[in-house]
Amino acid sequence: MSSCSTPVLPGSFSAERTQKMFPVLSNEAGWRCQGNLWSNLTDICNLLKIPAPNCSHDEEALFQHVRFKAGQRIHTIGQHFDSLFIVNSGFLKTVLIDEYGSEQVLSFPMKGDLLGIDGIHAEHHASEAVALSDCDIIILPYKTFSALGRTYAELELAMFSVMSRELVREQIMIGMLSALSAEAKVARFLTNLAERFGQLGYSGKIFNLRMTRHEIGSYLGLTLETVSRTLSAFNELGFITVDQREIGIIDPQALKTLRRLPPAKSRKKMTEQVSERVSALVGKNLLPQWSKDIAPALN
Amino acid sequence: MSSCSTPVLPGSFSAERTQKMFPVLSNEAGWRCQGNLWSNLTDICNLLKIPAPNCSHDEEALFQHVRFKAGQRIHTIGQHFDSLFIVNSGFLKTVLIDEYGSEQVLSFPMKGDLLGIDGIHAEHHASEAVALSDCDIIILPYKTFSALGRTYAELELAMFSVMSRELVREQIMIGMLSALSAEAKVARFLTNLAERFGQLGYSGKIFNLRMTRHEIGSYLGLTLETVSRTLSAFNELGFITVDQREIGIIDPQALKTLRRLPPAKSRKKMTEQVSERVSALVGKNLLPQWSKDIAPALN
DNA sequence: CGGCGACTTGAATACTATCAACGTCGGTGG
DNA sequence: CCACCGACGTTGATAGTATTCAAGTCGCCG
């Protein structure tokens, strides 16, 4: 059958969970709270990397943590919007479901990322957030949070700033989707991921992909086969190592400088002083013939 | 379910107010000051279609109008961020410039749209807004506006709501870019445009494109030739009429239901009971062979 | 072990980009 | 006035990239 159908969740209780989430009032009741972790406003501002308002009454605003197992949904499409979510640990994906039921991956949030902004407008979530690993999520009731925004001016500004940053991120995503070749998309994806891992204190050189090739492809507007082929090509070129989901970044510069087709006639003047790495790649139809002219990183 | 339209405030005077916004000169809500037109907070909320806080001190917050001629830039990339902008009349495009200087069109704002949100985060604009026609733009100094948000809670919430809506719009754009065929992209583009024109009181059946084929292509992730070919194909199919930039929508339903490739094996079972319109299109390689199976609008 | 999902790789096809030629429209200057 | 030009648009031929279809491998779990 078509592999585009929605993935089957491994969680045995996910079905009942989904049902429970649609009723408006069920949120907190539906989530199991293993471990009674709470965060105050300062913790949250640190997580989001925004300046914390110095208020002496941290105790007045406490926000609950909830744990999710891999495969569980933090929120689903159409669910009534009550709260924003901050990722304290773990890895997730957010997806849109089109009219035929196939997934469109929008982002891969991790620690410090804010989820659920899309629900503010219509008071219903427009996308769905799924845990790719076990996750610890902080619940930010929207009413509470916007009230705090009115109390602390910096917080309101910071919230605008975070939303603005998300907007810019998506704009860049749009530019990338419509202007880059498959190789460039995958290269940028790896570069971004490495950078984010690095910022979180993990290794930016060796890391595990938490998502399938299919999810990467959906995110980048490619098929899983194209993603797989491109990773293999980068591997043979010596840019990266690939062992299932473990990626090793060997030549970050090559990944960063790999770009898309120039508009015009660079292909006439292909010189013979071509690095073997490029030749090999071109031979496999994995890069266009004139790549040699625009891949300075390959020398 | 969720109503897509934002709630319109039932102000008793809203009808005449809306009318007065079309003429350049205005009487009650337009304030002449330094030879320019000014608007108060209520005007702005009406333009943005958000509930206006009822404050008796409208005079305290006045926002200046500025006129731009076609081709002028409202803001440029890298420019320091001071203000948001609201389109009072006219048509614009917002673009990103990539590292090689080529444009990526992000949106085509028109009356009632908010510009400049992308500048909040880094305090510099990430994109550039260009007038496609003569425009009347309202300047919203960010400091003033966010201060007002703290005074009027509804305004703060409305601002979050508008930003959330923009985010959702861009998410849907991402889904469209990476999942739809060229024909479906163009069809949706026309449908959306028709809908927006209709909401503004213009005809949704006949309208003028304010942008070039190149700009449409950039917006949709296509080349100008593909856009042109697709418009010609829709024309021959009887979906639309095309006369340079004047588009007439003849079969809105056909445009709405035209979609992308189904994942699986629909092409084996192509029946012979095919409408001639589809056959003609397939013959020109303008629609995939199996279109007949998924284009119910063609009967 | 068997089965399933994820992944890889190959071959053929289909879609869109590219290149090129031509047509149209509006403005400008000889 | 007309010739010319440049920007925009259309259409055709060709090429190239990414998808689709099709095996086959690997690792994991019941």
Side-chain angles (χ1 to χ4, degrees), chain B residues 181-183 222-223 225-226 229 288-289:
Chain B
S181 66
E183 297 83 27
L222 303 170
T223 58
E225 292 97 329
T226 300
R229 272 187 250 274
Q289 306 145 13

Side-chain angles (χ1 to χ4, degrees), chain B residues 64-261:
Chain B
Q64 186 174 16
H65 290 226
V66 174
R67 297 192 158 270
F68 292 87
K69 291 206 182 303
Q72 287 186 312
R73 283 165 177 75
I74 283 70
H75 60 79
T76 62
I77 293 179
Q79 176 184 332
H80 187 266
F81 169 78
D82 298 303
S83 309
L84 296 168
F85 307 92
I86 299 178
V87 183
N88 188 44
S89 70
F91 300 89
L92 325 242
K93 65 174 175 180
T94 64
V95 299
L96 223 55
I97 310 285
D98 72 17
E99 50 267 87
Y100 288 122
S102 41
E103 280 190 5
Q104 167 68 47
V105 175
L106 293 172
S107 64
F108 294 111
M110 46 177 106
K111 181 179 180 184
D113 287 331
L114 185 64
L115 295 181
I117 299 178
D118 59 87
I120 294 176
H121 173 61
E123 296 193 351
H124 290 270
H125 286 284
S127 67
E128 161 170 319
V130 184
L132 295 178
S133 68
D134 291 0
C135 289
D136 185 55
I137 306 288
I138 304 174
I139 315 288
L140 276 178
Y142 181 57
K143 287 222 167 91
T144 309
F145 195 63
S146 59
L148 282 173
R150 253 163 280 128
T151 308
Y152 305 109
E154 319 99 290
L155 193 61
E156 188 206 38
L157 292 180
M159 181 65 185
F160 283 142
S161 177
V162 169
M163 291 177 75
S164 168
R165 179 174 37 143
E166 280 304 293
L167 216 71
V168 172
R169 195 187 65 76
E170 292 198 352
Q171 286 178 355
I172 290 171
M173 190 74 200
I174 289 175
M176 175 171 137
L177 280 174
S178 66
L180 295 190
S181 66
E183 297 83 27
K185 286 178 182 175
V186 175
R188 290 212 182 179
F189 172 72
L190 294 175
T191 301
N192 287 338
L193 218 52
E195 192 177 322
R196 293 173 72 194
F197 279 125
Q199 285 171 355
L200 291 184
Y202 299 109
S203 165
K205 293 291 168 195
I206 300 184
F207 49 84
N208 269 287
L209 301 175
R210 312 296 161 129
M211 64 293 284
T212 67
R213 304 286 193 265
H214 180 78
E215 287 163 339
I216 297 173
S218 171
Y219 178 66
L220 297 175
L222 303 170
T223 58
L224 64 94
E225 292 97 329
T226 300
V227 173
S228 178
R229 272 187 250 274
T230 308
L231 289 176
S232 299
F234 287 168
N235 182 27
E236 289 195 27
L237 281 167
F239 294 173
I240 63 174
T241 60
V242 181
D243 176 30
Q244 295 296 105
R245 297 208 181 163
E246 180 171 291
I247 300 287
I249 305 287
I250 296 178
D251 191 342
Q253 203 53 36
L255 293 177
K256 256 179 226 132
T257 54
L258 192 52
R259 287 171 205 283
R260 104 165 292 250
L261 302 76

Side-chain angles (χ1 to χ4, degrees), chain A residues 181-183 221-223 225-226 229 244 287-289:
Chain A
S181 67
E183 296 84 27
L222 303 170
T223 58
E225 292 97 329
T226 300
R229 272 187 251 273
Q244 295 296 105
L287 284 180
Q289 306 148 12

Side-chain angles (χ1 to χ4, degrees), chain B residues 183 229 279-289:
Chain B
E183 297 83 27
R229 272 187 250 274
S279 298
L281 195 51
V282 171
K284 290 165 175 283
N285 288 328
L286 286 163
L287 284 179
Q289 306 145 13

